[in-house]
């Protein structure tokens, strides 16, 4: 039987280890001159990531569909201090565009150190009414294009000891109403890149994989979607989410939960599924 004294000693031991154990720290200097591709960078979290990378003096290729908007973001990146900032307009629902973007980035930068996959296609925040075609479209944009880009970029990331950063969602770990197709794409991403991380480690690959799980972030698109749906939305700032994603990739950490509190929900949901369902159901306004 464990005595009180043993329990105290054990607790003290755990506290000492926790204090002594140093988590890796983010060194922004390491990003100076780094060669980075960011997708979905015309707006929202991707745009904020581009600005942070620019301030750190990185070389950036940004992509999304709207060329005019990308041009403005690239201009601002140069003003903020990017060593290089170029853009390529691409639509990830076109099967050939994802690989084309990686080829363009490698040509422009002479290789890649970070590939940050962040884009998502538009999807309604509403009950699913049987539209399988839209789900198929979203799978191409939010999932298959990620696979295509990752596969194309792996050789150059291998050479540079680079990092693959996947932007995912709490809805890739836990379900909720009104976003069934989106949720499916994010679960697919988590499953796929979680497996790939093991396989790369087994091959002694130089490439790190970071999966970033985000809660509600105050981007225009997200806030528009949840307006009138959630009882009390508590969004977190896109700029801070972006910085956390960048730091996670730079430190080659396997996971990010932002805000950290969403990790609790991810743990509790398997222990107490009924309680979790009750909690999630009650986040929403009835009959929105
Ligand atoms: P936004 O909707 O603000 O931005 C999406 C980006 O993807 C835009 O740059 C858009 O640009 C681009 N895009 C859309 N369709 C396509 C397409 N077919 N081909 C290429 N690019 C496309 O998203 P957020 O910034 O809110 O989210 C960024 C990431 O964070 C996503 O992976 C999302 O799942 C994740 N996340 C966000 C949360 C939030 O609350 N905001 C919560 C949890 C996760 P354009 O229109 O010019 O193509």
């Amino acid at each position: 039987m464990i005595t009180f004294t043993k329990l105290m000693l054990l607790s003290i031991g755990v506290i000492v280890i926790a204090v002594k154990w140093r988590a890796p720290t983010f060194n922004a200097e390491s990003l100076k001159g780094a060669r980075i591709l960011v997708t979905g960078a015309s707006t929202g979290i991707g745009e904020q990531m581009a600005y942070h990378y620019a301030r750190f003096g990185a070389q950036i290729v940004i992509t999304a569909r709207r060329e005019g908007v990308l041009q403005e973001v690239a201009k601002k990146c140069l003003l903020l201090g990017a060593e290089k900032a170029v853009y390529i307009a691409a639509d990830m629902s076109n099967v050939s565009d994802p690989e084309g973007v990686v080829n363009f980035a490698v040509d422009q930068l002479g290789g890649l150190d970070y590939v940050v996959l962040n884009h998502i296609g538009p999807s309604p925040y509403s009950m699913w009414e049987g539209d399988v075609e839209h789900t198929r479209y979203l799978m191409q944009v939010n999932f298959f294009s990620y696979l295509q880009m990752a596969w194309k970029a792996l050789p150059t990331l291998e050479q540079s000891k680079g990092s693959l950063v996947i932007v995912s969602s709490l809805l890739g770990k836990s379900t909720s109403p009104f976003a069934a197709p989106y949720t499916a794409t994010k679960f697919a991403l988590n499953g796929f890149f979680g497996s790939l991380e093991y396989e790369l480690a087994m091959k002694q690959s130089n490439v790190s994989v970071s999966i970033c799980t985000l809660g509600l972030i105050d981007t225009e698109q997200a806030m528009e979607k949840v307006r009138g749906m959630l009882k009390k939305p508590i969004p977190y700032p896109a700029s801070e989410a972006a910085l956390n994603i960048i730091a996670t990739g730079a430190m080659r950490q396997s996971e990010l939960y932002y805000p950290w509190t969403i990790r609790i929900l991810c743990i509790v949901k398997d222990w107490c599924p009924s309680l979790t369902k009750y909690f999630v159901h009650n986040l929403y306004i009835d009959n929105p």
Side-chain angles (χ1 to χ4, degrees), residues 13 16 18 23 32 42 47 50 66 92 101 122 143 198-199 201 226 228 280:
V16 169
K32 193 162 174 47
S42 61
E47 179 186 0
R66 289 168 298 161
M92 297 297 170
V101 167
F143 177 61
Y198 279 115
E199 292 179 11
V226 300
V280 171

Side-chain angles (χ1 to χ4, degrees), residues 2-223:
I2 299 182
T3 62
F4 179 72
T5 320
K6 278 183 185 162
L7 199 65
M8 284 299 286
L9 286 173
L10 193 69
S11 311
I12 291 167
V14 169
I15 291 166
V16 169
I17 290 168
V19 171
K20 286 274 175 199
W21 181 74
R22 284 174 197 278
T25 46
F26 170 48
N27 174 16
E29 276 290 302
S30 69
L31 295 173
K32 193 162 174 47
R35 299 160 302 172
I36 296 161
L37 168 61
V38 185
T39 71
S42 61
T43 181
I45 299 165
E47 179 186 0
Q48 295 304 318
M49 283 196 275
Y51 297 151
H52 285 304
Y53 279 127
R55 286 185 198 100
F56 299 141
Q59 305 182 66
I60 327 163
V61 170
I62 54 172
T63 186
R65 291 168 304 176
R66 289 168 298 161
E67 191 161 0
V69 186
L70 287 171
Q71 194 176 16
E72 291 306 312
V73 175
K75 257 193 222 162
K76 193 166 166 191
C77 285
L78 289 171
L79 289 175
L80 288 171
E83 199 173 302
K84 184 168 182 173
V86 287
Y87 62 88
I88 175 169
D91 185 339
M92 297 297 170
S93 69
N94 293 334
V95 177
S96 58
D97 280 16
E99 290 185 4
V101 167
V102 176
N103 285 338
F104 173 83
V106 171
D107 281 354
Q108 287 289 322
L109 306 181
L112 283 166
D113 301 301
Y114 293 91
V115 172
V116 185
L117 301 178
N118 162 78
H119 61 276
I120 43 168
S123 60
Y125 201 63
S126 59
M127 287 199 188
W128 190 61
E129 300 289 353
D131 190 349
V132 176
E133 270 320 300
H134 171 71
T135 310
R136 217 187 296 278
Y137 160 84
L138 214 58
M139 270 290 181
Q140 168 57 32
V141 177
N142 294 9
F143 177 61
F144 289 118
S145 72
Y146 278 50
L147 273 50
Q148 290 178 281
M149 297 183 85
W151 185 247
K152 192 76 194 167
L154 273 176
T156 181
L157 291 175
E158 194 63 58
Q159 276 179 8
S160 64
K161 294 196 174 166
S163 302
L164 198 53
V165 180
I166 309 298
V167 182
S168 189
S169 164
L170 179 58
L171 295 188
K173 301 252 183 197
S174 182
T175 52
S176 81
F178 307 126
Y182 171 83
T183 301
T185 66
K186 291 297 183 182
F187 264 77
L189 274 185
N190 281 20
F192 185 90
F193 284 97
S195 291
L196 186 69
E197 191 186 1
Y198 279 115
E199 292 179 11
L200 292 175
M202 286 163 142
K203 289 186 204 167
Q204 268 99 45
S205 163
N206 290 323
V207 182
S208 68
V209 177
S210 302
I211 302 178
C212 303
T213 299
L214 305 182
L216 183 61
I217 309 298
D218 67 358
T219 63
E220 220 178 294
Q221 292 295 325
M223 294 319 292

Side-chain angles (χ1 to χ4, degrees), residues 218-269:
D218 67 358
T219 63
E220 220 178 294
Q221 292 295 325
M223 294 319 292
E224 182 137 323
K225 279 180 186 168
V226 300
R227 199 165 298 131
M229 306 289 259
L230 285 175
K231 282 180 190 159
K232 274 191 201 152
I234 305 175
Y236 284 77
S239 173
E240 203 176 299
L243 191 56
N244 275 271
I245 295 166
I246 290 171
T248 302
M251 292 186 291
R252 303 174 74 83
Q253 287 188 322
S254 171
E255 287 187 309
L256 164 73
Y257 289 84
Y258 178 84
W260 67 269
T261 42
I262 62 172
R263 188 164 206 164
I264 299 170
L265 185 70
C266 293
I267 295 168
V268 169
K269 78 178 172 55

